[in-house]
Amino acid sequence: MVNRSLRSICEDRLYTSISLDKHPWRSVSLLETFLLRPDLALCVQHLEISGFYETNAFALAKNVRSLTLAGLPGWVWMPERTCFRAAVSKMDLIHLKIQGMCDGSIIRGNYQEWDGDSFKEMLAILQTQPSLESLSFVECKFSSAFLSDLGARLSRSDVPALKSLAARPEVAAAFLRQINGLQSITLAIDECGDLSRIPISMGTAENRVSVRELTIRVPQTYDWAREQVSRFLALFPSIELLRVVMCPRYFSAREKPEGVKVCLDTVPSQLQLSRAPIDDSLTAHLQYTLITITPPPRT
C-alpha cells in the first residue's frame, strides 16, 4: 500500500512537465504510455512539442495549462494538421508559446497553391482559449497580409484574459492597435531582420498606457541598440519595470557583453538602474546580459 502511494506521488510529479522532441522513439513511447494510462496524461500541466506526432494521445492531456510549440512552422494552417489543431483547441491554456511559426503565404514548396487564411486559423485557436494570459511569438515570420489582418480583425473579446505578450515589434504593434489592458510587453528586435518592418509607433496611446513591464531584446550593437531602446521606451510612459536584454551579435555563448546601460540615453527619473538575474525564458541557449530598471523604494 505504501509503495503504491509513493508510486502515485512520484508519477504525478514525473509527468507534470513533458517535452515531446524530435527523437521519435522516446516521444512515441511516451505517447503510447498515455494511451495505455490516460490517468498519467491528466497529470501533464506543462507540455512542449517540437515534432509532429499523429496520435489521439494529445486529446487525453486535458489539464495542460502551459504549451510550447517549437519548430513547427505550419501547424496552425496546414490541412494535414487539422487533428493537431483540434487537440490544442480543447486545452484550457494560461500560457502559449509559439516558436518558429510561418504563415501560409511565406512557406513555399508543396503549398504554393494553398489559398487558405492563416490569420483565420490562428484566430480560431486563440478564440478557444478564454483563460489565456500569456502569449509569445518567438522567431515567427508573418507576411504583411497576416499582420494587416491581425491589426484589423483581432479584438479584445478574442483574448479576454491576455496580460502578457512577447513578439517582434511589428507583431506587438498589430496587437496594440486593437487590444487594451496588456500589462507586460516583450519586444524582440533583430538587427539582421527587415528593419523596414520595425514600426515607428506601437498601436494606440490608449492601449499602451496599461503596460507596466517592458522587456526589450536587442543585439550587442550599442549605437543601434541605444536608438531602439530609447525610441520604444518613450512610447510606454507608465512602465514600472524595464528589462534590457543584450544578445551577443554572433550568438556566441562564450561572450559576456558588458555596459548594457549605454543603451539608455537617459533613465526616467522614476526608475533606477540595477542588475538582475537572467530569466531563462528569455535566454534559451544563448548568453545575455540583463539590466533591470525598477522604481526606487519608497521612504
mmCIF file of all heavy atoms in Angstrom, residues 96-98 133-140 142 162-169 171-172 175 182 184-188 215 217 281-282:
data_model
loop_
_atom_site.group_PDB
_atom_site.id
_atom_site.type_symbol
_atom_site.label_atom_id
_atom_site.label_comp_id
_atom_site.label_asym_id
_atom_site.label_seq_id
_atom_site.Cartn_x
_atom_site.Cartn_y
_atom_site.Cartn_z
ATOM 1 N N LEU A 96 0.816 30.244 -23.680
ATOM 2 C CA LEU A 96 1.043 29.655 -25.001
ATOM 3 C C LEU A 96 2.258 30.314 -25.628
ATOM 4 O O LEU A 96 2.299 31.527 -25.818
ATOM 5 C CB LEU A 96 -0.182 29.849 -25.901
ATOM 6 C CG LEU A 96 -0.036 29.388 -27.360
ATOM 7 C CD1 LEU A 96 0.300 27.908 -27.430
ATOM 8 C CD2 LEU A 96 -1.319 29.692 -28.146
ATOM 9 N N LYS A 97 3.264 29.503 -25.955
ATOM 10 C CA LYS A 97 4.482 29.993 -26.593
ATOM 11 C C LYS A 97 4.618 29.311 -27.946
ATOM 12 O O LYS A 97 4.685 28.082 -28.031
ATOM 13 C CB LYS A 97 5.709 29.692 -25.726
ATOM 14 C CG LYS A 97 7.019 30.197 -26.314
ATOM 15 C CD LYS A 97 8.176 29.911 -25.363
ATOM 16 C CE LYS A 97 9.503 30.418 -25.911
ATOM 17 N NZ LYS A 97 10.633 30.134 -24.994
ATOM 18 N N ILE A 98 4.653 30.112 -28.997
ATOM 19 C CA ILE A 98 4.758 29.607 -30.359
ATOM 20 C C ILE A 98 6.095 30.050 -30.924
ATOM 21 O O ILE A 98 6.370 31.242 -31.020
ATOM 22 C CB ILE A 98 3.605 30.136 -31.232
ATOM 23 C CG1 ILE A 98 2.262 29.702 -30.639
ATOM 24 C CG2 ILE A 98 3.745 29.638 -32.659
ATOM 25 C CD1 ILE A 98 1.068 30.307 -31.331
ATOM 26 N N GLU A 133 -3.474 33.994 -20.586
ATOM 27 C CA GLU A 133 -2.927 35.212 -20.001
ATOM 28 C C GLU A 133 -1.616 35.626 -20.642
ATOM 29 O O GLU A 133 -1.271 36.807 -20.658
ATOM 30 C CB GLU A 133 -2.714 35.032 -18.493
ATOM 31 C CG GLU A 133 -3.995 34.790 -17.709
ATOM 32 C CD GLU A 133 -3.737 34.649 -16.219
ATOM 33 O OE1 GLU A 133 -2.554 34.788 -15.803
ATOM 34 O OE2 GLU A 133 -4.683 34.393 -15.471
ATOM 35 N N SER A 134 -0.864 34.663 -21.162
ATOM 36 C CA SER A 134 0.471 34.938 -21.688
ATOM 37 C C SER A 134 0.609 34.320 -23.072
ATOM 38 O O SER A 134 0.357 33.122 -23.249
ATOM 39 C CB SER A 134 1.534 34.370 -20.742
ATOM 40 O OG SER A 134 2.830 34.482 -21.296
ATOM 41 N N LEU A 135 1.020 35.130 -24.052
ATOM 42 C CA LEU A 135 1.170 34.669 -25.427
ATOM 43 C C LEU A 135 2.522 35.125 -25.952
ATOM 44 O O LEU A 135 2.887 36.296 -25.824
ATOM 45 C CB LEU A 135 0.054 35.239 -26.299
ATOM 46 C CG LEU A 135 0.083 34.912 -27.795
ATOM 47 C CD1 LEU A 135 -0.001 33.412 -28.019
ATOM 48 C CD2 LEU A 135 -1.063 35.619 -28.515
ATOM 49 N N SER A 136 3.267 34.194 -26.533
ATOM 50 C CA SER A 136 4.603 34.500 -27.025
ATOM 51 C C SER A 136 4.765 33.980 -28.449
ATOM 52 O O SER A 136 4.499 32.817 -28.728
ATOM 53 C CB SER A 136 5.659 33.860 -26.118
ATOM 54 O OG SER A 136 6.967 34.045 -26.643
ATOM 55 N N PHE A 137 5.179 34.881 -29.352
ATOM 56 C CA PHE A 137 5.542 34.503 -30.711
ATOM 57 C C PHE A 137 7.050 34.690 -30.838
ATOM 58 O O PHE A 137 7.523 35.819 -30.978
ATOM 59 C CB PHE A 137 4.827 35.381 -31.733
ATOM 60 C CG PHE A 137 3.343 35.162 -31.819
ATOM 61 C CD1 PHE A 137 2.458 36.059 -31.249
ATOM 62 C CD2 PHE A 137 2.826 34.057 -32.483
ATOM 63 C CE1 PHE A 137 1.085 35.876 -31.335
ATOM 64 C CE2 PHE A 137 1.452 33.853 -32.573
ATOM 65 C CZ PHE A 137 0.587 34.767 -31.988
ATOM 66 N N VAL A 138 7.808 33.612 -30.765
ATOM 67 C CA VAL A 138 9.265 33.685 -30.778
ATOM 68 C C VAL A 138 9.778 33.231 -32.140
ATOM 69 O O VAL A 138 9.455 32.150 -32.618
ATOM 70 C CB VAL A 138 9.863 32.793 -29.670
ATOM 71 C CG1 VAL A 138 11.393 32.893 -29.680
ATOM 72 C CG2 VAL A 138 9.318 33.206 -28.314
ATOM 73 N N GLU A 139 10.577 34.092 -32.778
ATOM 74 C CA GLU A 139 11.207 33.758 -34.054
ATOM 75 C C GLU A 139 10.172 33.350 -35.102
ATOM 76 O O GLU A 139 10.400 32.451 -35.908
ATOM 77 C CB GLU A 139 12.248 32.651 -33.865
ATOM 78 C CG GLU A 139 13.385 33.043 -32.924
ATOM 79 C CD GLU A 139 14.321 31.889 -32.623
ATOM 80 O OE1 GLU A 139 14.127 30.798 -33.196
ATOM 81 O OE2 GLU A 139 15.233 32.073 -31.818
ATOM 82 N N CYS A 140 9.025 33.999 -35.088
ATOM 83 C CA CYS A 140 7.969 33.707 -36.057
ATOM 84 C C CYS A 140 8.057 34.673 -37.240
ATOM 85 O O CYS A 140 8.471 35.820 -37.089
ATOM 86 C CB CYS A 140 6.594 33.825 -35.395
ATOM 87 S SG CYS A 140 6.298 32.582 -34.111
ATOM 88 N N PHE A 142 5.793 36.390 -40.250
ATOM 89 C CA PHE A 142 4.441 36.634 -40.742
ATOM 90 C C PHE A 142 4.486 37.570 -41.940
ATOM 91 O O PHE A 142 5.277 38.519 -41.982
ATOM 92 C CB PHE A 142 3.575 37.256 -39.646
ATOM 93 C CG PHE A 142 3.426 36.381 -38.430
ATOM 94 C CD1 PHE A 142 3.912 36.796 -37.199
ATOM 95 C CD2 PHE A 142 2.796 35.149 -38.522
ATOM 96 C CE1 PHE A 142 3.778 35.997 -36.084
ATOM 97 C CE2 PHE A 142 2.653 34.341 -37.403
ATOM 98 C CZ PHE A 142 3.147 34.762 -36.183
ATOM 99 N N LEU A 162 -5.862 38.083 -21.785
ATOM 100 C CA LEU A 162 -4.452 38.281 -22.135
ATOM 101 C C LEU A 162 -3.842 39.463 -21.384
ATOM 102 O O LEU A 162 -4.355 40.579 -21.425
ATOM 103 C CB LEU A 162 -4.316 38.506 -23.640
ATOM 104 C CG LEU A 162 -2.876 38.478 -24.181
ATOM 105 C CD1 LEU A 162 -2.256 37.111 -24.006
ATOM 106 C CD2 LEU A 162 -2.859 38.880 -25.655
ATOM 107 N N LYS A 163 -2.704 39.201 -20.713
ATOM 108 C CA LYS A 163 -1.998 40.229 -19.956
ATOM 109 C C LYS A 163 -0.568 40.445 -20.460
ATOM 110 O O LYS A 163 -0.007 41.523 -20.283
ATOM 111 C CB LYS A 163 -1.937 39.848 -18.478
ATOM 112 C CG LYS A 163 -3.295 39.691 -17.805
ATOM 113 C CD LYS A 163 -3.121 39.244 -16.366
ATOM 114 C CE LYS A 163 -4.463 39.032 -15.678
ATOM 115 N NZ LYS A 163 -4.288 38.536 -14.277
ATOM 116 N N SER A 164 0.017 39.400 -21.048
ATOM 117 C CA SER A 164 1.434 39.452 -21.407
ATOM 118 C C SER A 164 1.625 39.008 -22.850
ATOM 119 O O SER A 164 1.061 37.997 -23.283
ATOM 120 C CB SER A 164 2.242 38.543 -20.464
ATOM 121 O OG SER A 164 3.602 38.488 -20.847
ATOM 122 N N LEU A 165 2.443 39.761 -23.598
ATOM 123 C CA LEU A 165 2.719 39.448 -24.998
ATOM 124 C C LEU A 165 4.208 39.571 -25.264
ATOM 125 O O LEU A 165 4.848 40.545 -24.854
ATOM 126 C CB LEU A 165 1.957 40.407 -25.912
ATOM 127 C CG LEU A 165 2.254 40.292 -27.421
ATOM 128 C CD1 LEU A 165 1.724 38.963 -27.963
ATOM 129 C CD2 LEU A 165 1.647 41.460 -28.183
ATOM 130 N N ALA A 166 4.777 38.585 -25.956
ATOM 131 C CA ALA A 166 6.174 38.624 -26.390
ATOM 132 C C ALA A 166 6.212 38.393 -27.897
ATOM 133 O O ALA A 166 5.660 37.401 -28.383
ATOM 134 C CB ALA A 166 7.000 37.562 -25.668
ATOM 135 N N ALA A 167 6.835 39.310 -28.635
ATOM 136 C CA ALA A 167 6.836 39.198 -30.093
ATOM 137 C C ALA A 167 7.783 40.229 -30.679
ATOM 138 O O ALA A 167 8.311 41.093 -29.981
ATOM 139 C CB ALA A 167 5.422 39.405 -30.643
ATOM 140 N N ARG A 168 7.993 40.156 -31.976
ATOM 141 C CA ARG A 168 8.717 41.193 -32.681
ATOM 142 C C ARG A 168 7.880 42.476 -32.686
ATOM 143 O O ARG A 168 6.658 42.425 -32.550
ATOM 144 C CB ARG A 168 9.029 40.743 -34.108
ATOM 145 C CG ARG A 168 10.080 39.634 -34.163
ATOM 146 C CD ARG A 168 10.392 39.229 -35.575
ATOM 147 N NE ARG A 168 11.476 38.255 -35.604
ATOM 148 C CZ ARG A 168 11.940 37.683 -36.722
ATOM 149 N NH1 ARG A 168 11.405 38.007 -37.889
ATOM 150 N NH2 ARG A 168 12.922 36.805 -36.662
ATOM 151 N N PRO A 169 8.516 43.622 -32.848
ATOM 152 C CA PRO A 169 7.782 44.890 -32.756
ATOM 153 C C PRO A 169 6.588 44.991 -33.700
ATOM 154 O O PRO A 169 5.548 45.513 -33.319
ATOM 155 C CB PRO A 169 8.848 45.934 -33.098
ATOM 156 C CG PRO A 169 10.133 45.310 -32.676
ATOM 157 C CD PRO A 169 9.980 43.853 -32.980
ATOM 158 N N VAL A 171 4.639 42.678 -34.777
ATOM 159 C CA VAL A 171 3.526 41.855 -34.274
ATOM 160 C C VAL A 171 2.892 42.520 -33.056
ATOM 161 O O VAL A 171 1.667 42.605 -32.936
ATOM 162 C CB VAL A 171 4.015 40.436 -33.930
ATOM 163 C CG1 VAL A 171 2.868 39.598 -33.359
ATOM 164 C CG2 VAL A 171 4.605 39.757 -35.157
ATOM 165 N N ALA A 172 3.739 43.014 -32.146
ATOM 166 C CA ALA A 172 3.223 43.699 -30.960
ATOM 167 C C ALA A 172 2.424 44.939 -31.353
ATOM 168 O O ALA A 172 1.385 45.244 -30.748
ATOM 169 C CB ALA A 172 4.373 44.081 -30.033
ATOM 170 N N PHE A 175 -1.056 43.964 -32.377
ATOM 171 C CA PHE A 175 -1.878 43.660 -31.203
ATOM 172 C C PHE A 175 -2.346 44.944 -30.535
ATOM 173 O O PHE A 175 -3.515 45.075 -30.161
ATOM 174 C CB PHE A 175 -1.086 42.812 -30.204
ATOM 175 C CG PHE A 175 -1.286 41.336 -30.357
ATOM 176 C CD1 PHE A 175 -0.533 40.614 -31.269
ATOM 177 C CD2 PHE A 175 -2.218 40.655 -29.602
ATOM 178 C CE1 PHE A 175 -0.707 39.247 -31.420
ATOM 179 C CE2 PHE A 175 -2.407 39.295 -29.737
ATOM 180 C CZ PHE A 175 -1.642 38.582 -30.655
ATOM 181 N N LEU A 182 -3.156 45.252 -21.732
ATOM 182 C CA LEU A 182 -1.937 44.456 -21.597
ATOM 183 C C LEU A 182 -1.048 45.067 -20.521
ATOM 184 O O LEU A 182 -0.900 46.284 -20.438
ATOM 185 C CB LEU A 182 -1.178 44.398 -22.921
ATOM 186 C CG LEU A 182 -1.826 43.597 -24.052
ATOM 187 C CD1 LEU A 182 -0.986 43.690 -25.317
ATOM 188 C CD2 LEU A 182 -2.020 42.150 -23.649
ATOM 189 N N SER A 184 2.224 43.530 -19.693
ATOM 190 C CA SER A 184 3.632 43.216 -19.942
ATOM 191 C C SER A 184 3.861 43.001 -21.431
ATOM 192 O O SER A 184 3.113 42.264 -22.083
ATOM 193 C CB SER A 184 4.038 41.962 -19.159
ATOM 194 O OG SER A 184 5.366 41.577 -19.464
ATOM 195 N N ILE A 185 4.911 43.649 -21.966
ATOM 196 C CA ILE A 185 5.268 43.525 -23.375
ATOM 197 C C ILE A 185 6.748 43.182 -23.477
ATOM 198 O O ILE A 185 7.587 43.816 -22.826
ATOM 199 C CB ILE A 185 5.013 44.830 -24.156
ATOM 200 C CG1 ILE A 185 3.522 45.168 -24.185
ATOM 201 C CG2 ILE A 185 5.566 44.730 -25.565
ATOM 202 C CD1 ILE A 185 2.709 44.341 -25.142
ATOM 203 N N THR A 186 7.072 42.189 -24.294
ATOM 204 C CA THR A 186 8.460 41.880 -24.633
ATOM 205 C C THR A 186 8.645 42.099 -26.128
ATOM 206 O O THR A 186 7.930 41.518 -26.941
ATOM 207 C CB THR A 186 8.823 40.427 -24.285
ATOM 208 O OG1 THR A 186 8.755 40.243 -22.874
ATOM 209 C CG2 THR A 186 10.237 40.097 -24.754
ATOM 210 N N LEU A 187 9.606 42.957 -26.490
ATOM 211 C CA LEU A 187 9.902 43.248 -27.884
ATOM 212 C C LEU A 187 11.233 42.615 -28.256
ATOM 213 O O LEU A 187 12.273 42.944 -27.672
ATOM 214 C CB LEU A 187 9.968 44.759 -28.115
ATOM 215 C CG LEU A 187 8.711 45.569 -27.768
ATOM 216 C CD1 LEU A 187 8.977 47.055 -27.974
ATOM 217 C CD2 LEU A 187 7.525 45.115 -28.599
ATOM 218 N N ALA A 188 11.214 41.703 -29.204
ATOM 219 C CA ALA A 188 12.434 41.058 -29.684
ATOM 220 C C ALA A 188 12.857 41.747 -30.971
ATOM 221 O O ALA A 188 12.238 41.556 -32.020
ATOM 222 C CB ALA A 188 12.190 39.568 -29.924
ATOM 223 N N THR A 215 10.060 44.656 -21.680
ATOM 224 C CA THR A 215 11.335 43.969 -21.911
ATOM 225 C C THR A 215 11.726 44.180 -23.366
ATOM 226 O O THR A 215 10.915 43.970 -24.271
ATOM 227 C CB THR A 215 11.217 42.464 -21.624
ATOM 228 O OG1 THR A 215 10.841 42.264 -20.262
ATOM 229 C CG2 THR A 215 12.546 41.762 -21.885
ATOM 230 N N ARG A 217 14.618 43.111 -26.142
ATOM 231 C CA ARG A 217 15.761 42.281 -26.528
ATOM 232 C C ARG A 217 16.415 42.895 -27.750
ATOM 233 O O ARG A 217 15.776 43.093 -28.780
ATOM 234 C CB ARG A 217 15.302 40.857 -26.853
ATOM 235 C CG ARG A 217 15.107 39.972 -25.652
ATOM 236 C CD ARG A 217 14.650 38.585 -26.069
ATOM 237 N NE ARG A 217 15.375 38.084 -27.236
ATOM 238 C CZ ARG A 217 15.142 36.890 -27.781
ATOM 239 N NH1 ARG A 217 14.203 36.118 -27.306
ATOM 240 N NH2 ARG A 217 15.838 36.487 -28.830
ATOM 241 N N SER A 281 13.526 32.098 -19.492
ATOM 242 C CA SER A 281 12.545 32.117 -20.565
ATOM 243 C C SER A 281 12.948 33.067 -21.687
ATOM 244 O O SER A 281 12.470 32.955 -22.805
ATOM 245 C CB SER A 281 11.174 32.530 -20.018
ATOM 246 O OG SER A 281 11.192 33.880 -19.587
ATOM 247 N N LEU A 282 13.849 34.005 -21.388
ATOM 248 C CA LEU A 282 14.309 34.941 -22.409
ATOM 249 C C LEU A 282 15.584 34.473 -23.084
ATOM 250 O O LEU A 282 15.865 34.826 -24.216
ATOM 251 C CB LEU A 282 14.561 36.321 -21.788
ATOM 252 C CG LEU A 282 13.356 37.071 -21.228
ATOM 253 C CD1 LEU A 282 13.833 38.314 -20.512
ATOM 254 C CD2 LEU A 282 12.393 37.439 -22.333
#
